[in-house]
Amino acid sequence: MNNPAHWTNFAVALAGVVFVALSVNLERILQVPGLPGRAGETLIVLIGAVVQCALLLIPGLNHVALGVSLLVVGVLEWAIVTAVSVTGARQPTAEPRSWNLARVIYVQIATIPVAVAGLLLLINASGALYWLAGAVLWSVVAGSGNAWVLIVEIVRDARYRPRDQEERS
């Protein structure tokens, strides 16, 4: 179960994820408090998923080496996205507070299981890579949700107006 070779098809499928082109609304994203952080979260979570899958593809990597790698990547990604999402959630925005709280929770769900998978691999526990699979799949879901906001909702929803437009309204 913890043999990385058995997980390569899963990794290859997800490594092909196409990253959302944030440049479409980059000017607006930079003008709305909290959205640059959300863009950063999105990239970190999606790139993290690809890196985690890439680790599975390294030939000859045993469960201990993979466990250490996932633990390091998981903790590092968790620390970065937590700092970014908590800082972003504290920005004054017109978004409901519950949306900001949900963002913080979503990135926790995307990152903490990676470290859990790493720890479980280190002790060769059964099902360790299922934790990674869940984290990677959730990363795609959370990243896609954020991408939707950054591409569609910031144009459609008045709560994502730049500050100078809010003041004039």
Side-chain angles (χ1 to χ4, degrees), residues 126-151:
S126 178
L129 291 175
Y130 287 103
W131 282 86
L132 179 63
V136 169
L137 291 171
W138 184 258
S139 294
V140 172
V141 169
S144 297
N146 271 349
W148 177 263
V149 168
L150 296 168
I151 292 171

Side-chain angles (χ1 to χ4, degrees), residues 36-49:
R38 178 171 251 170
E41 279 170 35
T42 304
L43 291 175
I44 292 164
V45 166
L46 291 175
I47 290 169

Side-chain angles (χ1 to χ4, degrees), residues 1-3 63-64 117-128:
M1 276 226 176
N2 287 333
N3 182 346
H63 71 90
V64 173
L119 284 172
L120 292 174
L121 277 169
L122 284 174
I123 62 171
N124 205 21
S126 178

Side-chain angles (χ1 to χ4, degrees), residues 9-140:
N9 288 337
F10 175 78
V12 168
L14 289 176
V17 170
V18 177
F19 291 97
V20 177
L22 298 176
S23 61
V24 171
N25 290 322
L26 185 58
E27 186 176 326
R28 179 116 182 219
I29 290 168
L30 293 174
Q31 293 174 348
V32 179
L35 288 185
R38 178 171 251 170
E41 279 170 35
T42 304
L43 291 175
I44 292 164
V45 166
L46 291 175
I47 290 169
V50 172
V51 168
Q52 294 149 24
C53 290
L55 290 171
L56 290 174
L57 299 174
I58 298 173
L61 204 60
N62 65 26
H63 71 90
V64 173
L66 181 59
V68 169
S69 299
L70 288 174
L71 183 59
V72 168
V73 166
V75 169
L76 183 62
E77 182 183 358
W78 171 82
I80 293 168
V81 297
T82 297
V84 170
S85 66
V86 168
T87 301
R90 290 182 177 158
Q91 296 285 324
T93 68
E95 292 178 88
R97 194 146 202 51
S98 62
W99 292 6
N100 290 320
L101 179 61
R103 271 179 54 205
V104 173
I105 292 169
Y106 292 162
V107 295
Q108 301 304 304
I109 296 170
T111 57
I112 291 172
V114 177
V116 171
L119 284 172
L120 292 174
L121 277 169
L122 284 174
I123 62 171
N124 205 21
S126 178
L129 291 175
Y130 287 103
W131 282 86
L132 179 63
V136 169
L137 291 171
W138 184 258
S139 294
V140 172

